[in-house]
Amino acid sequence: MIKLIHAADFHLDSPFAILDLQKSELRRQEMRASFEALINLAYSTRANLMIISGDLFDGAFVTHETLSMITHGFEAIPDCRIVITPGNHDPAGEDSIYNKIKFSDNVYVFSSDTLTSFDFPEINCTVYGYAFTSKCMERFPVTKAPELDKTRVNILAAHADMTSPISTYAPLSERELESLGFDYTALGHIHNSEGVKSLSCGGYYAYSGCLEGRGFDETGEKGVITARLEKSEGKLSFESKFIPFSKRTYITHQLDVTGCESNGAILTKINQAIKEAGYNDKHAVKFILTGLLAPSLRVFTHYFEKEITSLFLLKVEDNTLPLYESAALKADPSIRGALFDKLSVLLESEDSEKREIASMALRYGLIALEGGETSDFTY
């Protein structure tokens, strides 16, 4: 039986650019801790195969500390075969980081941009794969189904993009996967996992997602996929499980603040939402404020970010719209009424983007006419 761990997109030594220096270093250390937890998982479950589907590293620069951690970690699980397919962030070109590392004998790294394989007869498995050799790969490199030994478990390790047919990162469709006939395709590149999916041909595929989220485009729990695979008389037995690993979780939370009359009232509403959702210092939360507010209310997003310290990271985005009194503004003989009249066509447009722009223009215009400073806003 194959006890598989499928992981991808570690991006070790990532700069964590949206954080301050102290939190960036903390996240880098937590990323290393998650890698060590992965090694412990492989050891404790007696995994005999681990596939890392690209972007183990974030780029050409890797610290000595990280390299030492990786090599010693792989050495610590000699009974686990570790197969790596370099991705677009750590391609296997001439200056590849993989050419500078001496791995232990249980590590296998794809180096060609065409399909090759590693054969493991002792676990009745063949792992196929390829490597990015530059930062882009405009076509999926496997155009023809290989001759597969149907008595073995055949796995494809692929750093590829199934979200866009015009991607420059090895675009791949489900139809193409169907035609290839692999028992399991271990995918990397997309950082959010949607779990294991089945194919009509009897195979399975999945993005494991990244090991740790790095921003608000990588929300939710992150981790790896474990699976058990076995072939008997050509028939595949398969079961899988997602194992969360992330030390921190990034969350996007929409919050309707309609009716709040001050920044203090908005702050109270944010704190209430944090309490109800159970957010704590494990969470990085971006609150997107929505709803209708008085045009005269200036929303200070940095005020909330400074006042709330119970989260690992708080970001606030103001997407509210002004609640204007149209009848009063229409009857207003001053420049306020003229401004409203000028924007009225756009305010009633069927185009939602035009309505939003006109609403914000009205808000800023009314504040400016009342002597306020529109430069105080966070756009």
Side-chain angles (χ1 to χ4, degrees):
M1 176 182 289
I2 300 167
K3 296 180 181 179
L4 169 68
I5 296 176
H6 167 203
D9 298 289
F10 295 22
H11 290 272
L12 293 171
D13 285 333
S14 174
F16 291 97
I18 71 169
L19 302 176
D20 60 36
L21 289 175
Q22 185 177 3
K23 286 184 176 178
S24 293
E25 182 55 32
L26 175 60
R27 290 298 288 133
R28 282 191 286 272
Q29 294 297 334
E30 289 176 341
M31 184 81 79
R32 295 183 184 117
S34 287
F35 175 83
E36 291 170 348
L38 176 63
I39 298 300
N40 290 335
L41 176 69
Y43 181 82
S44 63
T45 60
R46 298 183 179 179
N48 49 28
L49 178 63
M50 181 188 297
I51 294 177
I52 300 175
S53 302
D55 291 353
L56 174 60
F57 305 106
D58 192 58
F61 174 76
V62 183
T63 64
H64 177 76
E65 179 184 3
T66 296
L67 290 179
S68 177
M69 176 195 68
I70 291 169
T71 54
H72 284 92
F74 290 161
E75 286 174 2
I77 48 173
D79 295 329
C80 184
R81 300 145 190 85
I82 299 160
V83 179
I84 302 172
T85 174
N88 58 295
H89 279 267
D90 57 358
E94 289 184 9
D95 298 326
S96 171
I97 189 68
Y98 294 106
N99 295 333
K100 303 171 186 177
I101 308 173
K102 181 168 177 56
F103 286 119
S104 50
D105 292 340
N106 61 323
V107 180
Y108 304 81
V109 182
F110 289 109
S111 58
S112 172
D113 59 3
T114 59
L115 190 70
T116 56
S117 65
F118 295 115
D119 194 26
F120 306 112
E122 64 279 11
I123 57 171
N124 195 37
C125 178
T126 303
V127 180
Y128 293 80
Y130 57 88
F132 271 69
T133 55
S134 64
K135 292 183 178 181
C136 294
M137 183 177 283
E138 294 186 356
R139 292 181 177 82
F140 188 68
V142 189
T143 56
K144 183 180 178 182
E147 292 290 333
L148 300 177
D149 183 347
K150 297 295 185 179
T151 66
R152 289 195 173 182
V153 175
N154 298 291
I155 297 176
L156 174 63
H159 197 78
D161 190 349
M162 293 190 71
T163 67
S164 171
I166 59 172
S167 171
T168 55
Y169 305 110
L172 171 65
S173 68
E174 188 175 273
R175 183 178 179 181
E176 287 174 296
L177 269 186
E178 288 273 10
S179 69
L180 295 176
F182 289 101
D183 295 309
Y184 181 69
T185 300
L187 292 162
H189 183 65
I190 302 302
H191 292 187
N192 297 314
S193 177
E194 296 182 351
V196 176
K197 299 181 179 181
S198 59
L199 297 167
S200 60
C201 65
Y204 300 84
Y205 71 96
Y207 283 103
S208 65
C210 54
L211 206 61
E212 286 277 350
R214 297 179 298 155
F216 292 107
D217 56 341
E218 298 173 359
T219 57
E221 287 279 8
K222 304 301 176 187
V224 302
I225 290 172
T226 62
R228 291 174 178 244
L229 303 91
E230 192 171 17
K231 274 267 181 84
S232 177
E233 298 180 354
K235 187 175 181 180
L236 177 69
S237 171
F238 178 89
E239 59 183 58
S240 65
K241 185 179 180 180
F242 178 78
I243 307 293
F245 264 82
S246 46
K247 306 295 182 186
R248 313 281 175 177
T249 304
Y250 287 79
I251 296 168
T252 300
H253 186 130
Q254 288 203 7
L255 183 62
D256 189 337
V257 293
T258 296
C260 287
E261 297 180 351
S262 66
N263 282 280
I266 296 174
L267 178 63
T268 298
K269 202 150 191 176
I270 293 174
N271 273 318
Q272 182 181 356
I274 290 171
K275 183 178 180 181
E276 290 176 353
Y279 299 146
N280 54 44
D281 62 359
K282 179 185 175 181
H283 300 106
V285 185
K286 178 166 73 173
F287 278 98
I288 300 176
L289 305 183
T290 62
L292 300 172
L293 296 175
S296 59
L297 177 57
R298 290 176 286 173
V299 177
F300 294 100
T301 58
H302 293 302
Y303 165 67
F304 312 128
E305 295 167 3
K306 182 180 178 181
E307 287 294 311
I308 296 174
T309 59
S310 58
L311 305 174
F312 175 71
L313 177 68
L314 172 66
K315 293 293 181 184
V316 180
E317 182 178 307
D318 179 19
N319 280 3
T320 60
L321 295 174
L323 177 62
Y324 51 83
E325 298 178 3
S326 57
L329 286 171
K330 280 182 180 179
D332 193 323
S334 71
I335 195 171
R336 286 163 49 90
L339 175 63
F340 178 79
D341 182 63
K342 192 73 174 178
L343 293 171
S344 59
V345 173
L346 293 176
L347 288 167
E348 297 173 3
S349 170
E350 294 183 359
D351 187 323
S352 61
E353 186 176 350
K354 288 182 179 179
R355 288 199 309 273
E356 183 174 347
I357 292 172
S359 295
M360 297 309 292
L362 178 61
R363 169 181 283 186
Y364 299 145
L366 293 176
I367 290 171
L369 290 171
E370 292 174 4
E373 290 290 335
T374 57
S375 60
D376 288 338
F377 282 93
T378 300
Y379 296 92

